[in-house]
Each structure stands twice: as C-alpha cells, then as structure tokens.
Amino acid sequence: MTATPAFLKDAKDLLTEQGFATRNIWYHGTSSALLNSIQEQGLKRSGDQALREAAKKTMATIGNNYTETIEPVFLTPSKELAYYWARQTVRNRSVRIEGNEEPVVLEVKLGEGFNSKVKPDVGAASLLLLKEGENYLAHLAALYQEKGFNIPQIDLMKAERMEYLNLLGMAYIDNDIPPECIELLTE
C-alpha cells in the first residue's frame, strides 16, 4: 500500500479520544478514472457504471442473475480516510478494468440542509467483518496510535449508530451530490 500523501494527512487534527470531528466538509475517495465524469455530473449513487457493468457481465457468464442495487455516496470526515478508500477503489477496479488509475480524494462541501442528510454508515458492519474491513480497522488503529489514543473498541453488532461515524469515520448520503459541491484535492 502507498503511504498517504502529506497534504492529505489530517487525522492528527481531526481525531480526538471521542473520535473524528465532523462539520459540513466531507471527503470521498475514488479513482482518477472516474474524475472527469464526477466533475461533470457530480457524485452519483452507485456511480461506478463501468464496475457495475463488469460485475453484470461476470454474473451473466456464470449463468447467474444480477440485481443492481442503488448504493449511497460514501463519505468520511477525514482526507486521510478518504485516501484509504480511494486506494481500495483503484484496487477493486484493477481486478476488472484495465488502465492506469490513481487514488484521488474529493472534498465535498454541503450546505446546512444537505449536510443534515449525512448519516453514520451502520451498514459498514458487514464490510468490517471481511478481510477488507479488517485492513481498514488496522489502518484506523494506526491513526489512533499515532495520536497517542487507545484503539477504539467497538462491537460491530451492538455499536451505537454514531460510533460508526465518530469512531470509524464512516458515513453516507443517500442523495446525488452536484458537481458544484465537489473539489479535487491536490498538493
């Protein structure tokens, strides 16, 4: 895994013993291959059309029906966490789609009415039970340790909703986000 670029290292400023501070600025990690589309159309729920099409073709090849679901736009209060998920997106896409892609982080500024629609990602409990989720929890633990805090102990099945946001930095919005709310972060 690539180290987080210095200009995205914000956990040291956002992380407290109670978890991540939040405000109306959020971050979304994705692949550079999706950047033009996002800048034109915004962040769309279930927006990685190429990856969805690849999955659909794979399922058709093995004779299985594929039912598309509409996933929300996943957000995090930290650039550093968004970069982690951007790397995962690039890795996941590289399995099905050829190309030279890089992880990118988008800043998402939401107005007050729109910001109130951001919710803790409680659905992440199932992800966190998989190897990919274990890797995320290890990454998160390192951020807490760097700050000198205890690693959060969270029972994924019994956790309070807000713990997914505060302690784990996982959120979503079940709305498309228009391009004027989005900015690519660069050095």
Side-chain angles (χ1 to χ4, degrees):
M1 281 284 161
T2 309
T4 304
F7 77 99
L8 296 174
K9 287 189 151 288
D10 65 348
K12 65 185 176 301
D13 300 321
L14 294 175
L15 195 56
T16 70
E17 289 192 70
Q18 291 75 40
F20 288 91
T22 61
R23 54 195 199 285
N24 70 329
I25 298 175
W26 299 90
Y27 302 96
H28 179 81
T30 192
S31 167
S32 58
L34 303 173
L35 191 55
N36 286 340
S37 175
I38 291 169
Q39 288 175 324
E40 289 174 13
Q41 300 176 31
L43 284 167
K44 301 284 188 184
R45 292 172 290 161
S46 296
D48 192 341
Q49 199 167 4
L51 201 53
R52 284 196 339 261
E53 285 300 318
K56 191 185 241 180
K57 286 179 186 173
T58 300
M59 295 307 280
T61 302
I62 61 174
N64 215 336
N65 289 337
Y66 177 75
T67 305
E68 284 190 44
T69 58
I70 297 176
E71 291 187 2
V73 176
F74 296 102
L75 301 169
T76 181
S78 165
K79 298 174 207 172
E80 203 159 345
L81 295 179
Y83 185 75
Y84 175 89
W85 291 115
R87 290 188 320 225
Q88 297 307 307
T89 299
V90 169
R91 183 185 59 79
N92 291 344
R93 286 177 55 84
S94 71
V95 171
R96 296 183 186 264
I97 301 167
E98 275 190 50
N100 187 16
E101 301 182 22
E102 297 294 326
V104 294
V105 174
L106 305 172
E107 182 176 79
V108 179
K109 291 182 183 174
L110 300 176
E112 197 52 47
F114 214 24
N115 193 52
S116 66
K117 296 179 180 188
V118 176
K119 305 291 182 220
D121 187 7
V122 179
S126 59
L127 165 73
L128 296 174
L129 297 172
L130 303 173
K131 182 69 176 163
E132 185 177 23
E134 287 178 25
N135 293 340
Y136 178 69
L137 291 175
H139 177 75
L140 199 60
L143 296 178
Y144 275 87
Q145 287 176 321
E146 282 177 29
K147 185 78 178 194
F149 297 144
N150 291 328
I151 298 169
Q153 300 300 312
I154 184 168
D155 180 339
L156 297 175
M157 296 306 155
K158 296 179 183 174
E160 300 278 332
R161 290 185 62 82
M162 289 306 291
E163 288 182 295
Y164 285 89
L165 174 55
N166 297 337
L167 297 178
L168 303 178
M170 302 179 100
Y172 73 91
I173 188 166
D174 201 14
N175 292 83
D176 295 340
I177 300 173
E180 57 271 13
C181 296
I182 302 164
E183 182 180 329
L184 173 66
L185 296 179
T186 59
E187 284 187 78

